[in-house]
Amino acid sequence: MRLLLVEDHKPLVRAVRQGLEEEGFAVDVAMDGEEAGYKAETTDYDVIILDVMLPKIDGLSLLKRWRKKGLSSHVILLTARNTVEDKVRGLDSGADDYLTKPFEFDELLARVRALIRRDHHHKSPVVRIHDLEIDTAGRTVKRAGQAIRLTPREYNLLEYLAFHQGQVVSRMMIWEHLYDEHDENTSNVVDVYIRYLRNKVDKGFDPPLILTRWGEGYMLRGEEE
Amino acid sequence: MKSIRRSLLLYSLVLLVLAFGAVSALMDRTVGQTLLAEEQSRRELLDAQYKERCREENNKLDESLLQQARMIASVVQSQTQWSRSQNRRLMGLGMLTASLAPSGQVLLPVWAAESLDESLDRDRHIGLGGRIDWMLATELKLPEGESGHHDDGDYVQIRNEWGGSWRSPSMAHREFPVDTEQFGAMKLFSWKFDDVEMEGTRLRRVMLKSPVTRFRVSWRGFGRGEGPREGPRPEPGTRPPPPRMPSERTSPAVLVQFAADTRERDANLAQIKTRFDEETAQMHGNSQATLAAVRFHLLAITLATFAVVLGGGWWLIARQFDPLRRLTSAVSLVSERNIKLRFDEKQVPSELEPIVDRLKRTLDMLERAFAREKQALADLSHDLRTPLAALLTTTELALRKPREAGEYREFLDDCRNAAQQMSQLVERLLVLARLDSGVDRLQPQIVDLAQVTSRCLSLVRPLAEARGVRLSMTGEGSAEATVDADKLREVITNLLHNAIEYNRPEGSIDVRVGRCNGHVRLEVQDTGIGIPVAARPHVFERFYRADPSRHTEGLHAGLGLAISKEYVERMGGAIRFESTEGQGTTFQVDLPAKA
């Protein structure tokens, strides 16, 4: 999952970014409204964390502009303003969620994940495909009742495939959603991780869930097949 | 008087009283004068009427007297009996007074006989002796039955030229005085009126000189004949010739005196007078009544007007003050949430317009001030909460999983930075709070501005150099001022920090210290981005930041200049600036020189 963090306070940026990355998210950062606009319009982010008080362009106007343009990424507003009016104004401007500073980091995480789940119509935190059980809240994986340990990257990849179950995801898409701008784009990183994943998830289980579509990408087996 | 309404009413009533008083007095006088004039003319009329009536009454009496006198004159007879003269002569001429006989015959007084003049003599062609005889023989008489021409109450006296007279019975022994000269002077047929008194009774008398048209001469013993009485009978068929006017020469004259008491006339006159008095009184009464009525009406109108003005005025004024009341309630509706004055401009009377206008403007100002404070508060909360969030998140992150020492050190470093940032902000807020509450006290000392400035410069030099900004200072000798040293240092440091922060890379800062008529002056000139025109009026406001993004460095939070201005002004100085966008800004601080 790829996130955009828009915040101009450096210490906060450092802390939040590190925390999110440690949780397996790919995080891009913008320090002012202009940069944020540019990045949001060129990359498809799963969630944008937006601070309202920004230099150059006010956060809310930016948001309104995005929504007008049809940008459908989820947006969480991060702000020091905590009055009801501010919350209402923020939500009415097109935000999906609102978090006030100072905040608990865990809360930020949970809300981000909730938004992602919403995207994929998975209201329940547990995703079940065949005998695969993925608890997106606890970030645990079980297959046929057996717990499988995955690294954060592996988990993110599996979760991504699971959210797109039955659909082909191209390498490009995988790359975009799992790796931030600073990671080097080596084309077989994706392949490598697919292999890692297969080792853990498919090996010893039936049916194989991670499928290859030559020339197109990968896919997690859907329920119908 | 506290109430406008009451004083308005009172004054208008006073004015009304004065006006009405004047008008009433005027009207009263005019009416009075008019009535008086009218009364005057009516009185004159009545007077004339009265006089006329009196005259009429008098004339009536006089006319009746005259008429009766004439009647008597026309029937009086002069009878001459020669035989009688003889008898008389015998009686002697010594008899002076008249003696009355029932028939009214009287002896002629001697002087009457002696007063015979030649004219008589000429006329009568009778000798003197014969004349006396004639006189003696003549007597006046009213024919029987003719005495009815007078009443018992009337007094008649007939006198002929030589004293023969006839008196009415009512005269008794009395006699009217006669002025024979006057008698002689009178023309025939003429008459005179006068008033006589007889034994206490007032009489009105007419004296008529009339020719005797009937006289008889009887010659006892000598024959009988009638004197000329009438002219020759006119021939039938022809116009009778005009009757010959008897003249003094042709016939003797008598003086008929007819008098009547004036009782009736007086009574009538009295009645007339009474009537006159009554009418006068009535007229006077009428005019008085009219005057009284006018006065009453004036009073009534005055009182009525008073009542109307009082009542109507009370109500009207209340109505006119209605906008004031509405204004009051509109003002009371103004609250912190809703600062706008809701008052319909069209309904504002012109007197209230200035007030309403000023109120609206004041409220607008307040609203803006509130908005500014609110915004400032929002900014402030952001400026405090953000480093706090950083602090919190950093510590959470650090504790999330086991980490290496180096990582922990980094985290702790970040925490410290955030804490420092917050601490600075809190400090500035406290300074402002202290200034506002008056707790902060200045401790003036004599300081050398140049010295203090150069020390501050050396403190900020590393910061300037880190940004590549050149610092320089020029000054002429010492510039001593009486100020609080600590505060001065803060101000200078703040200005320098601003100059550095808002400067271009490779820019420069020039600091000048000098003296200027009674003041010491500090100037800090930078080659920075300048202050935008829109921001210039607000530069010294609390929490104001021209560019809201500039909080990241956390040095000022928009309070530095506000605090500086507060300090400078408390020290008795002034702070101002000049700026050109894109080129730079110069801040200027004047402080009172050492006293």
Side-chain angles (χ1 to χ4, degrees):
Chain A
M1 305 290 118
R2 195 156 174 186
L3 309 174
L4 175 64
L5 175 63
V6 186
E7 169 65 62
D8 62 332
H9 193 258
K10 287 209 188 94
L12 186 60
V13 165
R14 268 202 296 274
V16 171
R17 178 205 222 140
Q18 186 168 347
L20 287 172
E21 280 178 348
E22 285 183 5
E23 292 298 320
F25 290 100
V27 181
D28 289 349
V29 169
M31 300 283 273
D32 60 62
E34 230 175 82
E35 203 186 339
Y38 172 71
K39 287 198 174 158
E41 282 156 32
T42 50
T43 314
D44 182 25
Y45 292 101
D46 292 289
V47 176
I48 302 176
I49 302 170
L50 181 62
D51 181 12
V52 169
M53 306 248 329
L54 288 175
K56 298 209 185 120
I57 304 179
D58 161 52
L60 286 182
S61 351
L62 191 60
L63 178 56
K64 283 186 198 156
R65 210 172 61 187
W66 285 342
R67 290 310 185 211
K68 227 166 163 180
K69 283 202 176 147
L71 191 78
S72 59
S73 309
H74 297 297
V75 175
I76 296 184
L77 287 179
L78 203 60
T79 175
R81 301 207 185 158
N82 63 351
T83 64
V84 172
E85 288 145 26
D86 296 314
K87 286 186 191 167
V88 167
R89 210 170 335 129
L91 289 167
D92 280 345
S93 303
D96 296 286
D97 205 346
Y98 196 99
L99 198 57
T100 55
K101 298 182 202 174
F103 52 88
E104 296 278 328
F105 186 71
D106 286 329
E107 194 182 341
L108 177 63
L109 272 180
R111 285 181 189 256
V112 167
R113 287 188 180 130
L115 283 177
I116 294 172
R117 252 198 330 266
R118 206 186 297 171
D119 227 357
H120 302 281
H121 309 287
H122 289 275
K123 286 298 163 130
S124 154
V126 179
V127 181
R128 287 190 185 83
I129 301 151
H130 298 281
D131 57 350
L132 185 65
E133 203 179 279
I134 306 173
D135 179 1
T136 56
R139 294 170 77 85
T140 56
V141 179
K142 274 191 202 157
R143 188 156 186 193
Q146 244 184 347
I148 304 174
R149 284 189 57 123
L150 298 172
T151 68
R153 292 251 162 139
E154 290 163 358
Y155 174 82
N156 285 339
L157 182 56
L158 181 62
E159 195 187 61
Y160 191 73
L161 287 172
F163 279 145
H164 293 90
Q165 65 166 150
Q167 301 161 33
V168 179
V169 285
S170 67
R171 277 198 195 83
M172 209 55 220
M173 279 165 73
I174 293 172
W175 170 253
E176 270 204 4
H177 279 272
L178 297 184
Y179 301 97
D180 60 44
E181 58 204 341
H182 300 297
D183 293 329
E184 282 195 32
N185 190 357
T186 39
S187 58
N188 66 334
V189 165
V190 177
D191 298 329
V192 166
Y193 271 98
I194 292 283
R195 195 158 37 125
Y196 288 166
L197 205 57
R198 271 196 179 127
N199 265 348
K200 292 188 180 173
V201 170
D202 278 346
K203 199 172 189 181
F205 296 100
D206 196 51
L209 294 174
I210 298 165
L211 310 169
T212 306
R213 285 280 178 275
W214 291 106
E216 287 177 48
Y218 299 99
M219 188 176 88
L220 193 72
R221 189 190 288 268
E223 284 292 350
E224 322 75 48
E225 292 182 30
Chain B
M1 192 172 276
K2 280 275 171 72
S3 164
I4 295 182
R5 190 202 289 193
R6 263 181 256 147
S7 55
L8 259 180
L9 268 180
L10 184 70
Y11 292 144
S12 56
L13 279 178
V14 163
L15 278 177
L16 206 64
V17 165
L18 288 175
F20 264 80
V23 166
S24 295
L26 202 68
M27 273 199 74
D28 189 62
R29 205 157 73 123
T30 314
V31 168
Q33 274 176 354
T34 313
L35 280 177
L36 202 66
E38 219 179 88
E39 198 180 305
Q40 196 68 15
S41 67
R42 272 224 220 107
R43 189 187 284 272
E44 276 170 17
L45 192 70
L46 278 180
D47 222 28
Q49 254 179 12
Y50 168 65
K51 285 201 175 82
E52 184 66 31
R53 286 200 200 115
C54 284
R55 206 187 16 246
E56 260 178 35
E57 193 65 32
N58 278 330
N59 281 354
K60 209 166 62 173
L61 180 65
D62 289 354
E63 282 293 325
S64 129
L65 288 178
L66 186 63
Q67 199 185 30
Q68 288 187 295
R70 280 208 183 109
M71 289 295 285
I72 290 177
S74 67
V75 302
V76 80
Q77 283 176 347
S78 176
Q79 220 176 36
T80 311
Q81 279 179 317
W82 285 116
S83 60
R84 209 178 285 148
S85 75
Q86 285 166 346
N87 291 342
R88 289 219 182 111
R89 222 182 253 178
L90 291 173
M91 274 185 200
L93 297 167
M95 305 280 286
L96 292 173
T97 53
S99 68
L100 267 172
S103 61
Q105 294 165 336
V106 95
L107 280 171
L108 290 164
V110 175
W111 59 264
E114 283 179 316
S115 71
L116 278 178
D117 59 359
E118 269 120 33
S119 58
L120 248 174
D121 197 19
R122 255 199 319 272
D123 280 2
R124 301 282 150 89
H125 307 287
I126 306 172
L128 184 60
R131 195 161 301 282
I132 292 175
D133 284 338
W134 177 275
M135 283 193 283
L136 288 172
T138 308
E139 62 180 16
L140 293 171
K141 220 171 145 172
L142 281 179
E144 287 83 32
E146 303 283 3
S147 351
H149 283 289
H150 62 274
D151 303 320
D152 288 335
D154 300 327
Y155 304 90
V156 188
Q157 180 173 306
I158 310 172
R159 229 335 159 18
N160 62 15
E161 292 154 314
W162 49 87
S165 74
W166 181 91
R167 280 177 301 194
S168 67
S170 51
M171 294 280 298
H173 59 277
R174 295 168 287 204
E175 197 182 278
F176 284 136
V178 173
D179 186 343
T180 32
E181 253 186 65
Q182 202 187 41
F183 177 28
M186 277 172 77
K187 288 179 91 143
L188 257 191
F189 296 114
S190 70
W191 66 88
K192 269 202 180 68
F193 282 99
D194 65 3
D195 298 296
V196 294
E197 211 178 284
M198 206 163 73
E199 285 175 12
T201 321
R202 296 205 48 210
L203 303 170
R204 180 85 176 156
R205 176 179 67 162
V206 60
M207 292 185 286
L208 174 68
K209 186 168 176 182
S210 176
V212 176
T213 50
R214 306 183 185 187
F215 55 88
R216 205 186 236 197
V217 178
S218 75
W219 309 84
R220 196 132 351 119
F222 292 98
R224 198 175 271 226
E226 301 233 358
R229 225 178 124 190
E230 297 170 9
R233 279 180 199 264
E235 252 107 87
T238 60
R239 212 154 36 137
R244 211 162 25 135
M245 281 300 290
S247 69
E248 281 209 35
R249 295 165 215 273
T250 55
S251 49
V254 284
L255 185 72
V256 179
Q257 293 172 51
F258 196 98
D261 72 43
T262 56
R263 257 182 314 194
E264 200 182 307
R265 181 199 72 169
D266 286 343
N268 284 345
L269 281 179
Q271 219 179 33
I272 291 173
K273 180 93 194 339
T274 315
R275 195 163 144 206
F276 169 69
D277 285 339
E278 270 175 16
E279 281 176 352
T280 312
Q282 191 188 40
M283 178 190 68
H284 186 68
N286 276 348
S287 64
Q288 286 302 101
T290 311
L291 195 62
V294 164
R295 284 196 182 133
F296 174 75
H297 279 121
L298 279 177
L299 188 67
I301 290 173
T302 307
L303 288 176
T305 314
F306 248 68
V308 164
V309 165
L310 198 62
W314 191 265
W315 179 77
L316 270 177
I317 290 176
R319 260 197 60 182
Q320 290 311 104
F321 280 155
D322 195 47
L324 206 60
R325 220 170 329 121
R326 273 186 284 121
L327 186 62
T328 311
S329 51
V331 167
S332 49
L333 280 179
V334 169
S335 64
E336 262 181 62
R337 285 171 166 262
N338 181 12
I339 284 202
K340 284 262 173 260
L341 183 68
R342 299 157 141 265
F343 201 72
D344 190 4
E345 246 114 33
K346 276 170 262 145
Q347 291 184 355
V348 173
S350 58
E351 288 85 3
L352 290 183
E353 255 173 34
I355 265 196
V356 171
D357 184 49
R358 302 258 159 80
L359 256 179
K360 285 200 170 162
R361 268 195 269 151
T362 308
L363 287 176
D364 275 343
M365 211 164 61
L366 272 177
E367 196 178 33
R368 270 181 277 129
F370 281 169
R372 230 187 2 247
E373 293 271 333
K374 224 163 139 182
Q375 177 67 29
L377 198 63
D379 290 346
L380 184 64
S381 65
H382 184 277
D383 287 348
L384 274 179
R385 286 190 175 129
T386 302
L388 204 53
L391 196 59
L392 192 61
T393 310
T394 308
T395 48
E396 277 184 359
L397 205 54
L399 295 169
R400 223 170 158 69
K401 67 180 188 189
R403 299 181 190 277
E404 286 162 32
E407 276 189 285
Y408 283 132
R409 205 166 294 139
E410 268 180 45
F411 284 140
L412 286 173
D413 214 16
D414 285 343
C415 287
R416 185 181 52 183
N417 287 338
Q420 270 172 346
Q421 204 181 330
M422 283 193 289
S423 150
Q424 270 184 350
L425 188 56
V426 165
E427 266 320 299
R428 288 191 179 264
L429 282 176
L430 285 175
V431 161
L432 276 179
R434 270 205 298 271
L435 279 174
D436 281 348
S437 70
V439 169
D440 222 354
R441 238 158 264 274
L442 293 177
Q443 275 144 348
Q445 328 164 273
I446 299 176
V447 293
D448 181 3
L449 186 59
Q451 247 181 22
V452 172
T453 309
S454 77
R455 209 164 296 155
C456 291
L457 267 166
S458 52
L459 279 173
V460 300
R461 201 171 286 278
L463 189 62
E465 278 170 7
R467 285 179 169 247
V469 173
R470 207 167 26 88
L471 269 181
S472 69
M473 171 169 156
T474 48
E476 346 133 347
S478 70
E480 293 195 325
T482 312
V483 290
D484 183 312
D486 290 326
K487 308 277 188 298
L488 178 62
R489 244 168 291 173
E490 278 210 43
V491 171
I492 300 175
T493 312
N494 175 227
L495 291 176
L496 289 172
H497 277 153
N498 278 349
I500 294 171
E501 180 172 334
Y502 290 92
N503 217 322
R504 277 183 273 126
E506 313 301 322
S508 63
I509 299 177
D510 280 318
V511 180
R512 292 184 288 274
V513 174
R515 267 192 301 268
C516 181
N517 53 297
H519 291 124
V520 295
R521 181 171 284 183
L522 167 75
E523 279 183 357
V524 176
Q525 186 175 16
D526 64 58
T527 54
I529 59 175
I531 301 175
V533 178
R536 281 179 207 175
H538 306 291
V539 153
F540 291 110
E541 278 172 15
R542 294 182 182 187
F543 302 120
Y544 184 82
R545 275 195 295 247
D547 182 359
S549 72
R550 291 263 170 201
H551 65 263
T552 51
E553 303 307 319
L555 283 178
H556 305 111
L559 288 176
L561 279 176
I563 293 176
S564 297
K565 179 165 186 257
E566 195 79 37
Y567 280 161
V568 165
E569 282 176 1
R570 291 217 183 183
M571 294 192 278
I575 180 168
R576 59 190 85 87
F577 68 91
E578 266 167 30
S579 180
T580 318
E581 274 189 80
Q583 277 188 23
T585 313
T586 306
F587 271 88
Q588 201 180 68
V589 175
D590 284 341
L591 292 166
K594 165 183 85 162

